[in-house]
Amino acid sequence: MSKPPDPKFLLRGDMNENIHSLLFSINSNVEHLYAGDGKGTVHIWDLETNRIKSQLSDGCSPCFNLHTTNEFDLIVQRRHGVIDIYKMNESNWILDKSSNYGYCSFCRSQLLPKKDAVLIPLDNSAVGILSLKTFKVESTLDPSKLPYSSKLGTVMAIKSLEDMIDLVLVVYEGGQLLLWDTRENQVLSSLTVEQYPMTLDFDASLMQGILGSASEKLEIFQMSSNHTLLHKSTKDLAHVSGISVLSIRPDKKIVAAGCWDGRIMLFSWKKLRPLAILKEHRANVYDIVYSQCKVEAYDTKCLMAATGKDGYISMWDIYN
């Protein structure tokens, strides 16, 4: 394992201790990073100056996830069952719509851009498909008819699969990973995993995924050509009590694991070889995101940002 690199910068400021979500907004006009905190405020950082440019605050419910469908829409998922949509008006974000789907959860929503919808956790182990056009739950992934439905428990994490627009992975509190066909609202495959899973990510190019839980284990799984989920391997991590976030870099070379104790563990994605451990954070890491293109202000083709319970954001140029 190599010596860990130093962060490029640490973003601090008037943010709540708990920062739950991050989102890059990089184009020819702006280089921004959005950060949603535990008080319900979205802080917009200008990466050219490393200062907060503006803030959005329309409630006190924590911002659990942030999405953008284009340069003019910002979607904020709040913990207490609220989805807010902001529209860009000149240089300001204006709250345009708000929907309360009535379920409080720690599970992050997932954007379905090709369906113009958002996947949201619901009660009774269900996942709703919320239309961004009608702002109604148009359909539901309902496992109640499955023979093991009573053992599923709460929806813990959702992952929509890129290039497979009808397929969604959902992992449940009781230790089941289900592959759903959203068009038919049926389960194509299931896999037993660790109980109390916290996070997962999936690489469609390798048909391989990774799952972290409230344990010291990383679980690697595969999907066959006929959409069957298969266990591949398990990796035990030393001195780790839980994994809160997993994030595969866009180039599929690195996967980062954010731990409950604040460490970020970096692995090569194909062979899961340990690369480095980043120790900049002092408490639970809640989110790790990557820029999808070059960030001129940091002179890197792929910038990584991480944040969590300690209330600041670390910026990294990792093995580029």
Side-chain angles (χ1 to χ4, degrees):
M1 190 180 301
S2 62
K3 179 182 177 182
D6 294 324
K8 295 282 285 185
F9 205 84
L10 298 177
L11 301 180
R12 305 176 188 269
D14 184 21
M15 296 188 294
N16 180 259
E17 282 187 352
N18 296 287
I19 306 174
H20 293 282
S21 52
L22 297 173
L23 174 70
F24 278 109
S25 177
I26 309 294
N27 56 51
S28 58
N29 298 316
V30 299
E31 294 189 336
H32 290 167
L33 179 67
Y34 294 74
D37 73 14
K39 289 185 177 179
T41 301
V42 178
H43 308 266
I44 303 175
W45 287 85
D46 186 333
L47 298 182
E48 291 186 4
T49 62
N50 290 322
R51 294 180 180 274
I52 293 177
K53 180 180 179 65
S54 58
Q55 296 172 320
L56 308 176
S57 183
D58 287 284
C60 58
S61 183
C63 303
F64 262 34
N65 215 357
L66 304 170
H67 310 285
T68 183
T69 54
N70 51 54
E71 295 180 11
F72 307 104
D73 287 331
L74 176 66
I75 303 167
V76 181
Q77 177 209 6
R78 302 185 184 276
R79 182 190 168 190
H80 295 95
V82 174
I83 294 286
D84 289 334
I85 295 186
Y86 294 84
K87 295 285 187 181
M88 177 64 78
N89 182 5
E90 295 181 350
S91 61
N92 297 316
W93 287 108
I94 305 297
L95 182 63
D96 181 60
K97 296 179 182 178
S98 185
S99 173
N100 189 337
Y101 54 90
Y103 181 63
C104 181
S105 172
F106 289 98
C107 177
R108 295 174 182 268
S109 58
Q110 284 279 296
L111 184 66
L112 295 175
K114 294 182 180 179
K115 290 179 175 289
D116 206 14
V118 176
L119 293 164
I120 54 174
L122 297 175
D123 201 3
N124 299 317
S125 308
V127 173
I129 301 178
L130 178 73
S131 169
L132 295 176
K133 293 180 179 179
T134 66
F135 239 44
K136 296 179 180 179
V137 176
E138 299 289 351
S139 60
T140 304
L141 307 180
D142 182 4
S144 61
K145 294 182 180 180
L146 299 175
Y148 47 82
S149 63
S150 62
K151 299 180 181 180
L152 290 177
T154 303
V155 174
M156 299 297 286
I158 307 167
K159 178 65 181 179
S160 57
L161 305 188
E162 57 186 77
D163 301 326
M164 293 181 278
I165 60 174
D166 295 316
L167 300 186
V168 173
L169 289 165
V170 183
V171 67
Y172 301 83
E173 179 184 15
Q176 283 290 324
L177 176 64
L178 302 185
L179 175 64
W180 286 88
D181 182 333
T182 60
R183 183 177 52 188
E184 302 293 336
N185 284 355
Q186 68 177 8
V187 175
L188 302 180
S189 182
S190 65
L191 184 68
T192 299
V193 297
E194 286 285 312
Q195 287 189 328
Y196 308 110
M198 304 299 295
T199 178
L200 80 154
D201 205 354
F202 188 82
D203 173 9
S205 66
L206 290 180
M207 295 292 277
Q208 177 175 291
I210 185 169
L211 189 145
S213 63
S215 74
E216 74 288 354
K217 296 179 180 180
L218 289 175
E219 296 181 81
I220 313 302
F221 62 92
Q222 293 178 314
M223 186 190 302
S224 68
S225 57
N226 65 351
H227 300 143
T228 299
L229 297 176
L230 303 166
H231 177 78
K232 181 180 180 181
S233 62
T234 299
K235 188 174 186 64
D236 292 330
L237 305 179
H239 312 297
V240 171
S241 58
I243 304 293
S244 50
V245 58
L246 290 164
S247 188
I248 302 169
R249 200 165 72 177
D251 63 6
K252 317 301 183 186
K253 293 183 179 180
I254 290 174
V255 58
C259 303
W260 288 4
D261 63 3
R263 289 180 296 167
I264 299 172
M265 309 183 80
L266 303 178
F267 302 90
S268 63
W269 172 225
K270 289 186 177 181
K271 296 185 177 180
L272 228 63
R273 179 172 57 88
L275 300 176
I277 299 177
L278 311 180
K279 300 180 179 180
E280 197 61 45
H281 291 273
R282 303 184 301 274
N284 200 339
V285 177
Y286 290 151
D287 205 6
I288 300 172
V289 298
Y290 307 94
S291 65
Q292 298 295 315
C293 58
K294 183 176 181 180
V295 180
E296 296 289 348
Y298 280 73
D299 190 26
T300 178
K301 64 180 182 181
C302 184
L303 187 63
M304 185 179 91
T307 193
K309 188 175 181 179
D310 54 15
Y312 63 91
I313 304 166
S314 56
M315 313 293 288
W316 305 86
D317 183 0
I318 301 293
Y319 306 130
N320 282 309

